[in-house]
Amino acid sequence: MATLVPLGTAATFGVLANTAVTNTGPTVVTGDLGVSPAGAVTGFNPPGTVTGTIHVNDAAAAQAQADLLIGYGNALLQPATATVATELGGTTLTPGVYNSLSGTFSLNGPLTLDAQGDPNAVFIFKTNTTLITGAAGTVNLAGLAQSSHVFWQVGSSATLGVGTTIRGSILANTSITANTGAIVDGRLLALGAAVTLDTNAVTVPALTTCQVVVQPVVGPVVVGQPTPVSAVVTCNGLPVSGASVTFNGGAVPVTVTTNLAGVATGSLTFNTAGAATVTATVTAAGTACSCTGVVSAPVTITVTPQQSCQVVVQPVVGPVVVGQPTSVSAVVTCNGLPVSGASVTFNGGAVPVTVTTNAAGVATGSLTFNTAGAATVTATVTAAGTACSCTGVVSAPLTITVGAPTGPLSASPACWRVNLPFPIPHLFVATLKATLTPAQAGVTVTFYVSGLPVGTAVTNASGVATLNNAGLSILQISASSYTAVATVGGSTVQATGSLTPCFPPV
C-alpha cells in the first residue's frame, strides 16, 4: 500500500533545484521557487513570474533540499505493489506503488489514475533512470484522486515534452527539463542538478492542513498521580484515526493512537509541583495531510502538591493516675479539613484502643496506665476513606505524666438529660456525685467530662460532693464516663463514674 511521501518544507516549492533554475518565456510558478546549495535563478525578472518567494542559496532553500532528500528516500524505499510496462499512456491504474519493467517510464498518451472514491489514495511511480513524456502525454485524475497524492521518483532525469500535462510531484535524482508549454499540476524538485523551464505553468497542489490540539485537562493535577490527557488530530477539519500521538511534559512521554473521532487519550504523571507544559506531537499518520511531526500549541497546567494528612493528639486535661481511665483525643485532617469516619488507634496505655472520628474529625477514646511516671501516647490512622493517603499516618508523640494512686475517691453512676423546657444555658445537664472515704467535709472536687472541666462541688460532712445540673455539650454527652478529681492532704485523687442517657431523657 502506498503512503504519502513526506516533503516537509519542500512542499511549498513549485520548483526546487540543486545548481540552477533557468527559464525562457512567461512561465508561471504558483508557489515558491528555489536553488541550493549553490547556483542561480534566471528568467524570472521577467519574463517568468513566481507567486511565492524566490529562495537563492538561503536557509529556506537548504532546508527544502534536506527535506526533499528525505522524501526521495521514502519514495525509493516504499515496496512496489506492481511492475508495469514502460509506456504508461493508454492505461488506467488504481492506487499503489509502481515499478517500471524496463527501469524507465514514458508517457505518450492519456494515463488515468483512479482513486476509486478514496481522496486519501496515493500513487507512486518509481524509475531507475528516466521519465520522458511526449506531446500527447497527459495524466488524468478520476475517482477523487488528488495531484497532491501523486509522486514520481526518478532515478536520473525527467523530460516533459512540448505541451504535455502531468500531475503530481516529480522527485528527480539529477535534473528536470520542462519543454515549451508543458503543464505541471504538482512540483518539479531536482536533488542533483538544474531545473530548466520554457513557458510552463507549474502549480503547487493545495496544501492540506493537519492540526493537533491538546484538550483542557479536567480536574486537579497532583504530583505523583496519573493525569488523563487527550488531543484531537484533524486533517482539513476532519478527524484522523489511527495516528500515533506522543504527549510530552510529564515525567515520561507517552504515545497513544487516535480513535475514529481523531482523539488520542493517554496519561501523564508529574513529579514536581508548579506550572507544567503539555504538548502533543504526531509521530505517524497515514492521511492526506502531512501530519507527521506536527506539534500542538502548548497547554500550561498547574500541578499541586500531594494531599497532606495530619493526625494530632490533643493535650490531656486533668491529672492522669495509675489504674484510672484517662480520656484521650486526636484530630485527623486532610489539607486542613476534618476527616470523619476514620479509624484511629491510640497507643501508650496498657491496652491500645481504636475509635472512629466524628464529623469534626475528632477521635475520643480512653487509655489506662498501669505504671506511674512518663508515658508516651500516639494516634495512628488505620483506615480512612479520603482524598489524602491517611492510612498509616502516625501522630507526633505526646508525653504525659502518670501519677501514683492516692486516697480513695469514688464516683457514682450518672446520667444526662435534655434541659427542658428552656435549654438555657446548656442543652444537656447531668448530676455528678463523688464520695470521699473516709468522709471529710470541705474538700473541693472538680468534675471533668471528655477531659474538660464542667464544674466543682464541696464535700459535705458525709464526704459527698454533688454537682447539680452540670452543663454538657453535644460532644460531651457522647462520652461514657466522667472523672472526679480532688486534693486530699496534698495528694491528688480521682475516680471515674459512668455517664449514660437518663430514662426518660427529659
Side-chain angles (χ1 to χ4, degrees):
M1 175 181 175
T3 60
L4 275 177
V5 174
L7 295 178
T9 61
T12 66
F13 284 76
V15 176
L16 180 64
N18 179 285
T19 58
V21 176
T22 59
N23 172 62
T24 302
T27 293
V28 177
V29 176
T30 305
D32 294 334
L33 180 147
V35 61
S36 179
V41 174
T42 58
F44 284 95
N45 193 23
T49 58
V50 177
T51 63
T53 302
I54 296 177
H55 297 276
V56 179
N57 304 320
D58 61 8
Q63 184 61 55
Q65 276 285 356
D67 291 344
L68 172 59
L69 180 61
I70 294 173
Y72 184 90
N74 177 278
L76 181 67
L77 295 176
Q78 290 201 35
T81 57
T83 297
V84 295
T86 299
E87 176 57 46
L88 296 173
T91 63
T92 297
L93 296 175
T94 55
V97 180
Y98 295 97
N99 268 344
S100 167
L101 182 64
S102 63
T104 183
F105 275 130
S106 60
L107 180 64
N108 294 290
L111 166 64
T112 300
L113 303 180
D114 185 358
Q116 299 179 318
D118 181 6
N120 296 323
V122 177
F123 300 81
I124 298 176
F125 296 89
K126 301 166 56 173
T127 79
N128 292 333
T129 55
T130 61
L131 166 65
I132 301 174
T133 71
T138 182
V139 177
N140 300 316
L141 303 179
L144 300 181
Q146 300 184 69
S147 57
S148 59
H149 288 53
V150 180
F151 301 90
W152 303 83
Q153 178 263 310
V154 180
S156 58
S157 298
T159 302
L160 307 183
V162 174
T164 191
T165 298
I166 195 163
R167 302 182 191 277
S169 297
I170 298 177
L171 285 62
N173 192 40
T174 306
S175 63
I176 302 173
T177 299
N179 289 304
T180 306
I183 297 173
V184 179
D185 179 16
R187 305 173 182 88
L188 302 178
L189 309 174
L191 273 172
V195 175
T196 303
L197 305 171
D198 182 0
T199 315
N200 307 121
V202 180
T203 303
V204 174
L207 296 176
T208 49
T209 302
C210 185
Q211 191 174 31
V212 186
V213 179
V214 176
Q215 304 301 286
V217 175
V218 179
V221 181
V222 180
V223 169
Q225 296 183 5
T227 299
V229 289
S230 63
V232 180
V233 181
T234 56
C235 171
N236 294 329
L238 298 177
V240 177
S241 64
S244 293
V245 177
T246 298
F247 290 97
N248 290 283
V252 178
V254 60
T255 300
V256 289
T257 303
T258 56
N259 59 19
L260 292 176
V263 178
T265 301
S267 178
L268 292 178
T269 300
F270 304 89
N271 291 342
T272 306
T277 300
V278 176
T279 59
T281 302
V282 180
T283 53
T287 171
C289 293
S290 297
C291 276
T292 302
V294 173
V295 183
S296 71
V299 171
T300 301
I301 60 175
T302 300
V303 183
T304 59
Q306 286 188 345
Q307 307 285 355
S308 175
C309 186
Q310 192 173 32
V311 186
V312 178
V313 177
Q314 303 301 288
V316 173
V317 178
V320 181
V321 179
V322 169
Q324 300 289 335
T326 299
S327 179
V328 290
S329 64
V331 180
V332 182
T333 57
C334 171
N335 293 332
L337 298 177
V339 178
S340 63
S343 294
V344 177
T345 299
F346 291 96
N347 291 281
V351 178
V353 60
T354 299
V355 289
T356 303
T357 56
N358 58 21
V362 178
T364 301
S366 179
L367 291 178
T368 300
F369 303 90
N370 293 341
T371 305
T376 299
V377 176
T378 60
T380 303
V381 180
T382 54
T386 171
C388 293
S389 300
C390 275
T391 301
V393 173
V394 183
S395 70
L398 175 69
T399 301
I400 59 175
T401 301
V402 182
T406 58
L409 181 70
S410 61
S412 302
C415 66
W416 57 264
R417 66 182 185 278
V418 180
N419 188 19
L420 293 178
F422 301 104
I424 300 174
H426 300 288
L427 181 58
F428 306 96
V429 294
T431 297
L432 308 178
K433 184 183 294 184
T435 302
L436 189 64
T437 304
Q440 181 178 339
V443 176
T444 298
V445 179
T446 302
F447 295 89
Y448 297 84
V449 179
S450 293
L452 300 175
V454 296
T456 62
V458 178
T459 57
N460 58 20
S462 300
V464 178
T466 303
L467 178 62
N468 293 307
N469 296 323
L472 305 177
S473 69
I474 192 170
L475 293 177
Q476 287 175 308
I477 67 171
S478 64
S480 60
S481 64
Y482 71 96
T483 301
V485 180
T487 300
V488 181
S491 299
T492 300
V493 294
Q494 74 174 44
T496 300
S498 63
L499 179 63
T500 59
C502 296
F503 187 83
V506 295

